[in-house]
Structure formats: C-alpha cells, structure tokens
C-alpha cells in the first residue's frame, strides 16, 4: 500500500473527489465502519457490538475492512465521522481515529451528526414510501438520560433532512416521559429496550437504523464533499449536548505553551 | 520496508490535562516539545474535571501535533523511527484521545507504535537535553528516582534502562494533591504547590510544627494525616476569623517543611542503601525549590549528583515520553492495533 509519505499540510480543502470514502460512527454501542466507492455506494461495511471496547477494536476492524474491500489507505479520498451525540468513550475513540486518518493521509474530513445518519438509515430500510416524514431518534445519554433528535423530510424523495428541533439534539432527563416530545413522529429507539413510550416497532426501527447507518453516512459525506464542504480537522469535535458536570458555562481558555522556551 | 534507525521519536501524551506532542532524538535531544495546558480552564473549579480535560484533548490534539511537527522540521515520515504514546496511568477519557490519534498515525504511516508508561516518562525526563544544551553524560546507573506530582508520589531504584525496583509510594494522597488541598484551606489559589511555596517564603516565624508520617522502615509515604493536622491547625489559628497573611505564611511554611522533610529524607536513605550513583527528581512538585534544595543536600552528602529537569519538563509533557519511548523502541517494545487506555497501569507489573 502506501510507503512513507509526506506529512500533510493542515486543513486540506474539500472538493469533488472520486476516491473511496470511509465512514466511522462510534456514538452507539454498535460501532460502524463503512467504505464507499467514488460515487458513495457502499463497498464494504461492518457493524458490531463494541460495548465499551471501541478503543481496542476500531482500528483493527478498519484494517480488516480495508483489506477485505481491496481499498488501500492511499486510495481513500475522505473521512466521514459520526459526531454523535452519544456515548462519550466511543465518540472520543471514533473522532481521534477519524482525525488521525484525515490528518495523517491529508484528506478531507466531514462530520455528520450520528443521529442524522441513523434517521436516514431507518427510512431507507423501513420503506416509508415517498410521503413527507417526521422522525424522532432517541438514544441513551449516560445511564439515565436520553438524547432526542428530530428530523423532517418534506419531500419524500429528498435525501436531505431538516433539523426539526431547530437547535440540534436535546437532552431528555431520565424521569421525563418522552411521549409529548415525540408526538406525531416515527420513533427510532437506539440502544434502548422496549419501555413505556418505546414500542417494539421503535426498537426494531433502531436496529435497522444501526445496520444501515454506514451507507447513510457515506451518502451524507459524499453530498457534502460534492458541495465543496469539509470540516476543519483541527477543530472538529463531537456534538456535545450538555456541558460537563460541575461546569456552568464554557468559560476559560486553554493556555498554550511552546517548549523549549 | 525496515524500520529506520534514525533515533527520532514522535511522542504523544494526553494522560491528564495537558495535550502534548514532542519530537526527541536518541532519547535525549528535544527537537520540539509543545504543550497545550488546560490550567487556566480548571483554575475556576479548583482542580481537574476529567470530562473537560478529555474534550479539550480532542479539540487540541491536531493543532498541537502540527505545531510540534513544524517546529521539529519533520516533513517526511521516513525519518521517524517510531511513534510513542502514553497508555497509562491516567484519566481514561484523556488517554483514549492520544492513544487513538497516535495509533492511527502510526498505522497510516507504517511506523512502529511504542506504548510508554507515564510514570516512566517522568523518570526519563532526566535524560532530556534542550536543543541548545551542551552534551552531558546520561544519568548513571544505579540511580534512585523520586517522582512527585498531583497524581503520583513514588520512589524507585533503576539498575539499568527500563529496569525498575519499586521502593515505595504514597498510601493515600499524592504530595501535589496534599499541597492543593491545604492550599485551598489556606485560601490560596490553585494549584496549591507554587502558592504554598510562595506564601511560605514570606514566613517570619518558623515555629509551627506539623507531624511527619515516617511509615516505619518502609519507603512508603502518607499525607492524609498531615492534611488533617493542617486543617486543625488552620481552624485553631483562625478562630472563626479570616487568616491574616502572616498566619498563612507560617502555616504554609510548617506544612511544606513536613512534606519536604519526609520526601528528602527517604530519598536520601534509599540512595545510600542502594549505592546509587545519582538521584533523579521528577513530577510537577519537583518544581518546588525547597524540595530541590533539600534533596540536593542529601545527594551532596552522598557525593552523588542530583538531576532535576527544568520545571517545564517536570510537569506533564511529551518530550519525556519521547525519551522513554526511544529506549522502549530500541528494546523492542511494540503495541498492536488494539492498544487501549490503562488508567491504573503500574510502573512495575
Ligand atoms: Zn504526570
């Protein structure tokens, strides 16, 4: 595959590229890697129950998948990273790996909300026809709370999803019923068991979404790159819905020191 | 393609709250060392918030890496012998960022990946030379190393590279942690170490005595009893009022003396008994001038050198990981693609 290559200049620009893309999403307990051809069609995909072992398993799984698909590292033309929200450990592993790939190979990176990929995948696999559609994606936020994202597609054939909340995903505290918040939408429950307000259908939709999310992320990433949009690999971070516990405002800056002297 | 024996190690360290990348040559000469410190962000909360630290690592890892790469003038990976990364001990969420970033870069550029124990890094900081430093001999073996910081306090004997005989460690708080807690009780800013040292220097009377936890014949340390004694003394002195600056200075002096006395005495004793040819001091608390002076006295009495890296190399940095990583790389230590964070990784398995 690739020999020693020059280190990339930071912040490569996006642009139409015909090279294969790799998509990584680790926001849920099922990790997902997908490799798509130059047009965005999936060549190889793997989803597996990573639990909390993303750190051990992700890069080895990527290596296997590249080998199986016959795609060399040097062939890759971009990285699509699921940005959550979701499990912090998984997202840290996924984003650190995605950044390492994009920075190391000098290729563009596109962050796509994991919930958007899940929403899109739930429909692709769920066969809702061409009608307008409201979706509510629900997934765990820590041991007790849940993240809720809502997406709307007004034209059944459109591939783009509108954020129906207008401000991205939000946190639903553990004790709070979800029914009023998801009224009128098709519920997609990720990593959540059947419970009051969560039907077996919602759980099944969640399973379909997890299985198909790699293709959906590749699709979204390809569309972004075709529009000339990529994220800055230096600044891309997961979608955090809440501030860390004990922090009330994102105050303070990071002090830089360049050493030696 | 064989591994090039260029001696150049690219090192990544994210075990706590500093995002650090360095390039080090032959385990000694610093080519570049960049640290993004989160100190200012944590100052308002009086300590490290793990979730804040982990988020900041992910935000700063690429710019810090790029800065170090550019400063070292590395533009071709074929000159890099190995990528070294701290895999523990430390905060799980923080370690993960550096490990997975370094692992992916090593994978992409087909370079060996070398795991480094953070504690070992603190010891190997003693090997480092700044770009403009004259050559000087490497620390001689056998040696005794005392590592003291906000997270660790331990004493170890080294008879050769990467060979550690653990002598003792704190059974409760790390020394730096005790400085932080007592600093807070005294109404001093975080971090407590430098604030207490500064306050203590202003003391005019030196008659407040705090207890020393000698822990019998062992080389172990304990600072929780001292912390309790300090709290009682502070409350007694205060009597419901705010402490006056002179009391703060005297209490700070008494507390610092107690910590430094135990650390220096045990280190000197260990060096004497093991026939050490040098004493190495590392970790953030090694920046404390009183501790340095007191351990230096012990070393001088034994006729051996005390080696203390400059303060910026005593606190967490990646150059120390690059130094240890070089000797690990040459000893054949390798990690595979499944390298994961080991938050409680011991120095000696
Ligand atoms: Zn440290």
């Amino acid at each position: 595959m690739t020999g020693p290559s020059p280190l990339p200049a930071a912040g490569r620009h996006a642009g139409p590229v015909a090279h294969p893309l790799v998509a990584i999403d680790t926001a849920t307990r099922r990790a997902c890697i997908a490799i798509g051809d130059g047009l965005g069609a999936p060549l190889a995909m793997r989803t597996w129950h990573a639990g909390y072992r993303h750190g051990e398993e992700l890069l080895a799984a990527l290596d296997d998948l590249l080998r199986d698909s016959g795609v060399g590292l040097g062939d890759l033309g971009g990285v699509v990273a699921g940005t959550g929200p979701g499990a912090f450990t998984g997202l840290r592993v996924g984003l650190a790996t995605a950044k390492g790939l994009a920075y190391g190979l000098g290729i563009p990176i596109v962050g796509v909300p994991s919930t958007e990929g899940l929403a899109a995948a739930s429909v692709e696999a769920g066969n809702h026809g061409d009608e307008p559609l409201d979706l509510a994606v629900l997934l765990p936020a820590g041991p007790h709370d849940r993240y809720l994202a809502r997406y709307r597609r007004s034209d059944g054939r459109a591939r783009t999803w509108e954020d129906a909340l207008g401000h991205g995903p939000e946190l639903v505290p553990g004790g709070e019923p979800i029914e009023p918040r998801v009224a009128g939408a098709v519920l997609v429950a990720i990593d959540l068991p059947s419970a009051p307000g969560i039907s077996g259908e919602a759980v099944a939709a969640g399973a379909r979404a997890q299985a198909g999310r790699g293709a959906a992320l590749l699709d979204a990433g390809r569309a972004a790159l075709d529009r000339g949009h990529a994220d800055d690999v230096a600044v891309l971070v997961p979608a955090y819905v809440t501030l860390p516990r004990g922090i009330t405002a994102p105050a303070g800056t990071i002090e830089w020191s360049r050493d030696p002297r | 393609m064989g591994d090039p024996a260029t001696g150049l190690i690219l090192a990544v360290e994210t075990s706590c709250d500093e995002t650090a990348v360095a390039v080090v040559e032959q385990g000694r000469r610093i080519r570049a060392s960049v640290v993004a410190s989160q100190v200012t962000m944590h100052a308002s909360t009086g300590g490290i918030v793990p979730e804040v630290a982990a988020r900041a690592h992910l935000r700063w890892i690429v710019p810090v890496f790029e800065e170090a790469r550019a400063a070292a003038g590395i533009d071709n990976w074929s000159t890099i012998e190995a990528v070294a990364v701290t895999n523990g001990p430390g905060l799980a969420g923080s370690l993960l960022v550096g490990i997975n970033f370094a692992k992916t870069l090593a994978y992409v550029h087909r370079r060996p990946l070398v795991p480094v124990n953070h504690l070992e890094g603190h010891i190997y900081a003693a090997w480092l030379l700044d770009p403009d430093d004259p050559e000087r001999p490497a620390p001689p073996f056998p040696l005794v190393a005392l590592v003291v910081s906000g997270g660790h306090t331990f004493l170890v004997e080294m008879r050769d590279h990467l060979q550690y005989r653990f002598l003792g460690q704190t059974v409760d708080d790390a020394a730096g942690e005790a400085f932080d807690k007592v600093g807070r009780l005294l109404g001093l800013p975080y971090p407590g170490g430098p604030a207490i040292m500064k306050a203590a220097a202003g003391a005019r009377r030196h008659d407040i005595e705090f207890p020393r936890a000698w822990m019998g014949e062992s080389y172990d340390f304990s600072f929780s009893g001292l912390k309790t004694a300090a709290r009682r003394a502070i409350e007694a002195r205060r009597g419901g009022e705010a402490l006056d600056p002179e009391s703060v200075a005297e209490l700070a002096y008494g507390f610092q003396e107690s910590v430094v006395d135990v650390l220096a005495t045990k280190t000197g004793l260990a060096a004497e008994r093991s026939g050490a040819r040098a004493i190495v001091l590392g970790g953030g608390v090694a920046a404390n001038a009183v501790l340095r002076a007191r351990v230096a006295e012990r070393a001088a009495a034994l006729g051996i050198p005390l080696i203390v890296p400059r303060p910026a190399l005593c606190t967490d940095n990646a150059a120390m990981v690059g130094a240890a990583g070089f000797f690990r790389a040459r000893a054949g230590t390798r990690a595979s693609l499944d390298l994961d964070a080991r938050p409680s990784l011991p120095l000696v398995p």
Side-chain angles (χ1 to χ4, degrees), chain B residues 186-201:
Chain B
L186 288 169
L188 296 170
Y190 173 86
I196 285 181
M197 186 175 87
K198 198 171 151 212

Side-chain angles (χ1 to χ4, degrees), chain A residues 7 103 253-255 257-259, chain B residues 33 35 37 40 60 66 77:
Chain A
L7 282 153
Y103 174 76
T253 51
I254 296 176
E255 188 178 277
S257 73
R258 185 173 157 191
D259 196 52
Chain B
S33 175
V35 179
S37 161
T40 49
W60 293 104
E66 178 56 23
W77 279 85

Side-chain angles (χ1 to χ4, degrees), chain B residues 123-149:
Chain B
I123 300 170
Y124 271 91
W127 268 254
L128 291 169
L129 297 169
D130 278 311
D132 49 0
D133 278 353
E135 286 292 333
R136 62 167 183 267
F141 297 114
L143 59 81
V144 159
L146 173 70
V147 176
V148 220
S149 75

